[in-house]
Amino acid sequence: MTTSAEWFDRARAVTPGGVNSPVRAFGSVGGTPPFSVRGEGAWLTDADGDRRVDLVCGWGPLLLGHSHPEVVEAVQSTAARMMCPGGSTIGEVELAEAIVGRLDAVREGAVDEVRLVSTGTEATMTAIRLARGVTGRDLVIKFSGCYHGHSDGLLAAAGSGLATLALPGSAGVPAPISGQTIVLPYNDLDAVRAAFAEHEGRIAAVIVEASAANMGVVPPLPGYNRGLAEICHDDGALLICDEVLTGFRTGPAGWWGREQEDEERGGWTPDLFTFGKVIGGGMPVAGLGGRREVMEHLAPNGPVYQGGTLSGNPVAVAAGVATLRLADDAVYGAVDAASDRVVAAVKREFDRVGLPFAVQRVRNLFSFAMGDGAALGWSGVDEFGAPAPRNEDEVKRQESWRYPAFFHSLLDAGVNPPPSVFEAWFLSSAHDEEALAHLEAALPAAADAAAGATAP
Ligand SMILES: *Cc1c(COP(=O)(O)O)cnc(C)c1O
């Protein structure tokens, strides 16, 4: 049997850092990353034969858990018929209709049309190009700690992957390109108003995660997203709501849909949405959507170009269609309930060991920031009344050096937590009593390890 450690050696010989996405290398927690060989429901098995309750769920796509039988069946039966016909297929229409239908159910006309692509990076990159094509303007505002994929203009201050590696941005991005991106602190409408005052009539779009979840979860303050929409629309700019992570995970119509259920938060509609992760159910599918008059600027009807050999690939799309069909209210209810239970269990253990922390949470998506929030100057408040970070600057002040000990204690006890404190925890409807009880049993030792960790 080849162990994970041996696979990692082989991987490093033929792949930069041994990984195809940096956070997989365990840079911030140390140790050898397990090589997975099998996923079943809430469980992941590695090459060493170790089985763990998975809290990563593919970084979000697996709302139904690993290899749900009906999703697997949809993929297999489609692949047996065709894999890449090069022309249009039925599944693309079904997936677009499912997405439009879910948003329409919240607010009619929120999204008329969807263009499918293969990755979230492509979705946000295309949304930015489209916004520039529609407005005839160049500048884009993004918020530090928000991640929108790895296209050149969106890599500045882009959250977890970069925070973990302590990289300011990326080499290889020409200054004239990064110079078109204005980076502002999250959850601060005055900063956005000031930028619009300074660059009146020159900003094409503001792009924001529906809720920030790539610096750990940092919920938008009530009215923040609505405020962004108002500021954009007053100046003729577009608001791009990036739901690649939150969309169809935090609710049937994403975090945008959840906010519309809440009087304090609702009453706004972005001009473009970007989707990914759950809409592919674990396969490479992403997309962007918006009102017809905006979307019709895309080729072939309009002058903004976008295309893709694998866009709307039938095998990939089949997984997305099956996932959205299965993701009903019962699924969201189950993932919400599992999240309540895990948050309560972590709180119980951190309280027991006297470790101050904040719960960072939007419904079923959550993370924990460690440290004494009052001393660290966190200006938000969590659901238990503790001070909580509300932007990237505050998030980074936490005692992140406690996380490797916490992480490895869980990993050794058969749990697969996210390999960075700046990532959200992901659950699924397959996280049943057995899986949750297994996680709860592992938490006391992990909390002890976090409390006992020493500052560098
Ligand atoms: C994951 C993510 C992306 C990028 O998606 P990829 O499929 O990894 O390219 C974009 N935006 C957000 C909010 C994400 O979480």
Side-chain angles (χ1 to χ4, degrees):
M1 191 184 75
T2 308
T3 63
S4 286
E6 287 161 351
W7 278 117
F8 195 43
D9 282 341
R10 283 173 65 174
R12 275 184 294 196
V14 290
T15 302
V19 294
N20 288 305
S21 199
V23 73
R24 295 179 197 163
F26 276 25
S28 77
V29 289
T32 304
F35 274 61
S36 300
V37 296
R38 189 177 180 79
E40 286 167 287
W43 299 83
L44 205 49
T45 304
D46 69 13
D48 310 305
D50 292 325
R51 201 165 165 262
R52 298 188 178 90
V53 173
D54 187 19
L55 304 179
V56 178
C57 286
W59 299 104
L62 305 180
L63 182 66
L64 309 172
H66 289 271
S67 297
H68 187 288
E70 286 180 56
V71 177
V72 172
E73 206 288 317
V75 167
Q76 287 178 336
S77 64
T78 307
R81 279 187 283 117
M82 61 182 166
M83 290 181 64
C84 193
S88 292
T89 58
I90 293 162
E92 298 165 75
V93 184
E94 292 175 338
L95 185 56
E97 286 175 351
I99 294 167
V100 169
R102 280 171 173 243
L103 292 146
D104 231 40
V106 173
R107 185 161 301 134
E108 219 180 299
V111 166
D112 297 316
E113 299 183 1
V114 172
R115 171 62 59 85
L116 296 179
V117 294
S118 300
T119 66
T121 293
E122 278 178 273
T124 56
M125 179 185 80
T126 305
I128 297 282
R129 184 180 305 140
L130 179 54
R132 286 174 168 153
V134 167
T135 59
R137 304 173 179 182
D138 288 341
L139 296 177
V140 168
I141 290 179
K142 83 172 283 287
F143 300 101
S144 62
C146 284
Y147 181 66
H148 305 290
H150 62 95
S151 68
D152 281 353
L154 293 175
L155 265 184
S160 54
L162 296 163
T164 298
L165 298 171
L167 298 175
S170 174
V173 178
I177 292 181
S178 53
Q180 304 298 314
T181 307
I182 299 166
V183 181
L184 300 178
Y186 188 64
N187 266 332
D188 180 355
L189 287 175
D190 285 339
V192 181
R193 286 189 197 101
F196 270 91
E198 190 183 339
H199 304 284
E200 203 183 328
R202 295 181 55 218
I203 295 167
V206 171
I207 184 166
V208 67
E209 290 185 58
S211 164
N214 279 288
M215 47 175 153
V217 176
V218 178
L221 294 172
Y224 176 68
N225 286 324
R226 185 176 55 236
L228 291 180
E230 286 165 3
I231 296 168
C232 285
H233 297 158
D234 283 350
D235 189 68
L238 304 193
L239 178 64
I240 302 169
C241 177
D242 184 354
E243 291 253 26
V244 170
L245 185 61
T246 48
F248 312 122
R249 171 164 273 280
T250 51
W255 182 249
W256 171 78
R258 289 294 187 210
E259 286 213 333
Q260 307 318 307
E261 294 165 1
D262 179 340
E263 210 173 308
E264 237 194 321
R265 293 181 169 274
W268 61 284
T269 306
D271 303 281
L272 286 168
F273 286 94
T274 53
F275 306 111
K277 299 193 169 112
V278 169
I279 70 162
M283 295 285 275
V285 182
L288 61 152
R291 292 187 309 280
R292 200 174 311 284
E293 81 239 31
V294 176
M295 294 299 289
E296 286 288 315
H297 282 76
L298 280 176
N301 289 357
V304 179
Y305 189 75
Q306 179 279 327
T309 305
L310 295 173
S311 291
N313 174 271
V315 182
V317 159
V321 171
T323 297
L324 290 188
R325 193 183 62 238
L326 291 162
D328 57 10
D329 287 343
V331 161
Y332 291 107
V335 185
D336 282 358
S339 304
D340 286 345
R341 182 166 161 183
V342 173
V343 167
V346 171
K347 174 169 168 52
R348 192 165 56 236
E349 292 306 322
F350 281 178
D351 285 349
R352 178 183 60 78
V353 299
L355 183 65
F357 72 104
V359 179
Q360 305 163 267
R361 182 175 187 194
V362 289
R363 292 293 277 252
N364 62 32
L365 205 56
F366 55 90
S367 58
F368 304 93
M370 299 185 211
D372 178 351
L376 296 168
W378 290 344
S379 61
V381 184
D382 78 3
E383 66 190 79
F384 299 107
R390 63 178 208 192
N391 58 39
E392 192 189 32
D393 179 45
E394 293 184 7
V395 160
K396 281 182 162 170
R397 291 180 209 157
Q398 72 179 289
E399 294 170 354
S400 52
W401 45 268
R402 295 187 185 277
Y403 193 74
F406 181 73
F407 170 87
H408 279 289
S409 175
L410 287 176
L411 196 71
D412 292 345
V415 175
N416 187 49
S420 163
V421 73
F422 302 112
E423 301 285 3
W425 295 32
F426 298 94
L427 300 178
S428 78
S429 55
H431 283 71
D432 55 8
E433 175 59 34
E434 188 201 354
L436 295 174
H438 184 88
L439 167 60
E440 283 170 339
L443 282 171
D448 287 335
T454 40

